[in-house]
């Protein structure tokens, strides 16, 4: 895709009606001719529309539709606001950009204007083709008795699901659209009223995209997938841990299609988070579960976590790189490109390791182990000492302990702000947060405010850890490339990025003091105690 | 104040002349030279003479040091070096006149100076640790601390790697001048740095690449027994193996 021809942003006003069958076209044309409209047929057009969005439909959820239309050898990107459709009258903001070539990779949108519209919404997600819509358009030029010119089009449309959606096709949709080309809008409105009274025509209430989603039965991915975690206060701990592991394993599996197709970095991230949570659960409830089973699962999770972690760490680096290089004065573009390509290649290797791992007998064995662990009936006389302890009893003791461990470590960080102390605090925080989340459903929404208070600190600690990773990555690359020919501009970039990490780390450490001072308060402790007691 | 920071001229007199003229045209009042005036190029004595005439504040480079040592003890070098390398060193030591020898021998390993505005400048060839040490563009604040050997200048000027760069690291303006006579970073144009100090504001520097009458050095090189492969460096700015 090279040259692009942007069309000025326009507001499109049209009337849309659903038709029961294609033959209704003739009845409509007869009616219009009877009423003094002059109709002249135009050339039939076949077009393919590919609807692009992130896997989690961020554009659609923001009221936008991004479409690549291929028709008559031309390729046009269009971004439309999904405005309201009332009584068949649709009003939408629309930006169209015609591109050279046929856009071989539809997701690589090479137009700044489209990017300016979508980037703030989709970042850091990637675009993928979600739907394909094929339409046969039979257009007529219509001259109204009052003189206005209208384009009347009879569409036969078929939909098919792409991307992560279950592949399927829907029945065709028959629609008629009337768009004002020349003349006063009142003429179009008069036509709209006439058509609304035409037997068999129903005003269309939604866009083609919305119709496609409805007809194809597309389900949007949700952050809270079914089945929900149903840990109860009175649950035995061994039962609770079964529920938690089952829930988190379900989340790993749910993200695997996205991981396997490498559709978006979010899938690896979510799968890794769930892996961590499973490990954390095994650790937290270790006295409530059989030792051998826990050890086997922990070893598998450690292996799996390393596979997900390798890819995720590089994803974070790549996601942060544009922001980081933007702050480096005179960052050499070529060096940024070389570094990006190198990290992408490295990621591809790690992703391949991950995919091999997921296809390996070890993963199958892990899956079997999880199923066996989570599916077995609770033992009548379990050997694990805390197996029969109720969730509430355990949580009301253990969570305050974890909270105290966080406070102690946080105060240690303030006294000695060393990176390893920050890292330790991050781990303690994760343990506390995960424990609260594991038992959270048993407390209704009681623990949510407390969990919310930990998020800001964890984000701060996470960003600090990212700087540590970036520095170690640069150190590793320089060590690995020792003795090789390296573009000096890349060395310059490394030096600047390395120093930038230092600045970011110092800023995060300063921010931490402030956030921590708000967290380390009597009210936080009291809020947690009250939430655990209220149950 | 504007100062020109040069390094690694390596016997390329036409390039040095062009650098001086270019820097003066840009307003340079002072010249600093981070060493390695000799070696590889066909004008070792002439380069020393011009540096001396222009009263450039300078330090001894690692190659210069090697040349001086080889004058005293050639056998040790001949034995230790690869023949092609020895050929260059041997030619340079035998073609360095007495005045140039005396000039090089008087150069210190480190030059410290307080510039207008009270800014402390530290000039070395490699680093404070050694003239053989290398300061690459990937330098980190931790690395800089080591390279400075406990000193804390405002401006740290070095050469040796032939890879020019300017970076500000932890409040220190780090300038590697690159090579004003023998570039090896793929760009055949030699480089020097221009340092600017305006009042009490933070000093700034930038790298300047310049053209020079390459034919003169190539013609002179052809008349010497120096390896013909050296001409490729002048033509192409030959890339070497950079050790980060």
């Amino acid at each position: 895709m090279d040259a692009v021809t942007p069309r000025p942003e326009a507001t499109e006003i049209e009337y849309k009606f659903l038709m029961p069958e294609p033959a209704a076209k003739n009845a409509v044309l007869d009616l219009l001719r009877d009423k003094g409209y002059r109709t002249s047929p135009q050339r039939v057009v076949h077009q393919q529309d590919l609807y692009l969005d992130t896997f989690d439909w961020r554009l659609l959820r923001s009221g936008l539709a991004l479409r690549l239309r291929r028709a008559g050898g031309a390729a046009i990107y269009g971004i439309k606001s999904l405005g309201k459709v009332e009584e068949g009258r649709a009003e939408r903001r629309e930006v169209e950009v015609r591109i050279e070539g046929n856009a071989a990779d539809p997701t690589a949108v090479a137009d700044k204007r489209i990017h300016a519209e979508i980037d703030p919404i989709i970042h850091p997600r990637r675009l993928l083709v979600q739907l394909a819509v094929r339409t046969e358009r039979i257009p007529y030029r219509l001259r109204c008795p009052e003189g206005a010119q209208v384009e009347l089009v009879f569409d036969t449309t078929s939909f098919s699901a792409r991307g992560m959606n279950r592949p399927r096709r829907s029945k065709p949709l028959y629609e008629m659209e009337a768009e004002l080309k020349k003349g006063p809008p009142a003429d179009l409105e008069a036509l709209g009223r006439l058509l609304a009274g035409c037997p068999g025509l129903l005003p269309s209430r939604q866009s083609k995209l919305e119709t496609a989603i409805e007809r194809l039965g597309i389900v949007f991915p949700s952050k809270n997938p079914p089945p929900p975690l149903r840990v109860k206060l009175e649950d035995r701990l061994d039962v609770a841990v079964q529920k938690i592991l089952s829930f988190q394993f379900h989340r790993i599996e749910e993200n695997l299609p996205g991981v396997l197709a490498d559709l978006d970095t979010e899938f690896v991230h979510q799968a890794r988070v769930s892996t961590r949570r499973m490990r954390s659960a095994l650790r937290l409830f270790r006295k409530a579960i059989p030792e051998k089973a826990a050890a086997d699962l922990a070893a598998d999770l450690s292996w799996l976590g390393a596979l997900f972690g390798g890819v995720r760490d590089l994803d974070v680096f790549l996601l942060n790189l544009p922001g980081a290089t933007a702050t480096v004065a005179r960052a050499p573009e070529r060096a940024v490109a070389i570094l990006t390509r190198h990290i992408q290649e490295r990621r591809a290797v790690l992703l391949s390791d991950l995919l091999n791992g997921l296809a390996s007998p070890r993963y199958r064995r892990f899956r079997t182990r999880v199923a066996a662990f989570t599916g077995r009936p609770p033992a009548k006389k379990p050997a694990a000492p805390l197996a029969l302890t109720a969730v509430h009893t355990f949580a009301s003791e253990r969570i305050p302990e974890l909270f105290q461990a966080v406070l102690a470590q946080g105060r240690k960080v303030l006294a000695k702000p060393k990176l390893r102390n920050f890292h330790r605090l991050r781990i303690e925080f994760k343990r506390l947060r995960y424990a609260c989340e594991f038992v959270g459903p048993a407390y209704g929404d009681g623990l949510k405010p407390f969990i919310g208070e930990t998020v800001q600190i964890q984000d701060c600690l996470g960003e600090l850890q990212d700087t540590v990773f970036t520095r170690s990555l640069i150190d590793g690359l320089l060590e690995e490339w020792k003795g090789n020919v390296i573009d000096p501009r890349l060395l310059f970039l490394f030096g600047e990025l390395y120093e930038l990490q230092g600045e970011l780390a110092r800023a995060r450490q300063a921010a931490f003091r402030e956030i921590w001072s708000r967290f380390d308060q009597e009210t936080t402790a009291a809020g947690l105690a009250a939430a655990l007691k209220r149950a | 104040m504007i100062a020109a920071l040069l390094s690694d001229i390596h016997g390329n007199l036409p390039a040095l002349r062009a650098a001086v003229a270019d820097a003066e045209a840009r307003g340079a009042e002072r010249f600093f030279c981070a060493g390695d005036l000799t070696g590889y190029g066909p004008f070792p004595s002439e380069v020393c003479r011009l540096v001396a005439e222009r009263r450039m504040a300078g330090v001894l480079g690692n190659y210069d040091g090697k040349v001086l040592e080889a004058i005293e003890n050639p056998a040790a070098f001949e034995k230790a070096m690869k023949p092609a390398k020895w050929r260059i060193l041997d030619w340079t030591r035998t073609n360095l006149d007495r005045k140039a020898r005396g000039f090089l021998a008087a150069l210190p390993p480190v030059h410290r100076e307080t510039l207008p505005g009270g800014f402390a400048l530290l000039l070395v060839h490699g680093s404070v640790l050694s003239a053989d040490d290398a300061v690459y563009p990937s330098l980190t604040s931790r690395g800089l601390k080591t390279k400075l050997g406990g000193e804390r200048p405002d401006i740290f000027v070095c050469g040796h790697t032939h890879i020019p760069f300017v970076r500000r690291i932890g409040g220190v303006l780090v300038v590697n001048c690159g090579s004003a006579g023998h570039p090896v970073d793929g760009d055949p144009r030699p480089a020097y740095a221009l340092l600017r100090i305006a009042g009490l504001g933070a000093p700034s520097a930038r790298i300047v690449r310049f053209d020079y009458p390459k034919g003169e050095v190539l013609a002179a090189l052809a008349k010497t027994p120096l390896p013909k492969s050296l001409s490729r460096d002048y033509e192409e700015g030959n890339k070497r193996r950079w050790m980060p």
Side-chain angles (χ1 to χ4, degrees), chain B residues 39 115 134 174 191 214:
Chain B
L115 299 179
V174 181
K214 216 178 283 171

Side-chain angles (χ1 to χ4, degrees), chain B residues 217-230:
Chain B
V217 73
L218 291 172
L221 189 71
K223 289 178 193 163
T224 69
L226 287 167
K228 298 295 169 261
S229 60
L230 284 173

